[in-house]
Amino acid sequence: MRSTGFLRRMTPGWKRLVTRIIDAAARSDRPPTLVQAFAARRPVVLALCASTPIGVLMALAARSRLGTVRGALFVLANWVLVACVFALVGYAERFRQRCTRGHRGE
């Protein structure tokens, strides 16, 4: 069976390398680090803790726009977007840990 897309243009050595990297990431025998465990257990807290300094920096960078309601809403919307990205990362880490735990038979 022929590969399609990206793998078709790769040499057999590259295919093995990419496959090994993906398999190692999916079936790692190492336990999650403290940061990974925190992110998986508390994705909303992770989002708030990580996005608050970024939101403050955005507010400082856009302080000339904060005089209007539109400018304040723009900064707030960007902060919420950053918080959502961090929360999604936390939920993805939780899903990854559940999947790897299932592969190890725990």
Side-chain angles (χ1 to χ4, degrees):
M1 176 156 74
R2 294 187 75 191
S3 300
T4 59
F6 177 69
L7 290 177
R8 184 187 314 163
R9 292 185 291 273
M10 294 174 56
T11 62
W14 280 100
K15 285 182 188 179
R16 281 193 305 272
L17 178 65
V18 170
T19 304
R20 271 191 284 160
I21 290 171
I22 291 171
D23 287 345
R27 297 186 185 125
S28 177
D29 290 336
R30 289 180 286 163
T33 64
L34 290 175
V35 175
Q36 290 171 328
F38 178 83
R41 279 191 214 113
R42 299 173 191 89
V44 175
V45 174
L46 169 75
L48 291 175
C49 291
S51 66
T52 300
I54 296 172
V56 169
L57 286 174
M58 282 191 291
L60 289 174
R63 65 182 158 211
S64 63
R65 294 182 100 185
L66 288 178
T68 64
V69 174
R70 179 180 265 178
L73 286 175
F74 176 77
V75 171
L76 182 65
N78 282 317
W79 177 73
V80 169
L81 180 67
V82 169
C84 288
V85 168
F86 278 107
L88 286 174
V89 167
Y91 284 114
E93 179 62 27
R94 179 184 289 182
F95 179 73
R96 185 194 69 82
Q97 288 181 17
R98 282 184 184 163
C99 288
T100 57
R101 193 175 322 137
H103 285 296
R104 289 193 311 238
E106 293 179 2

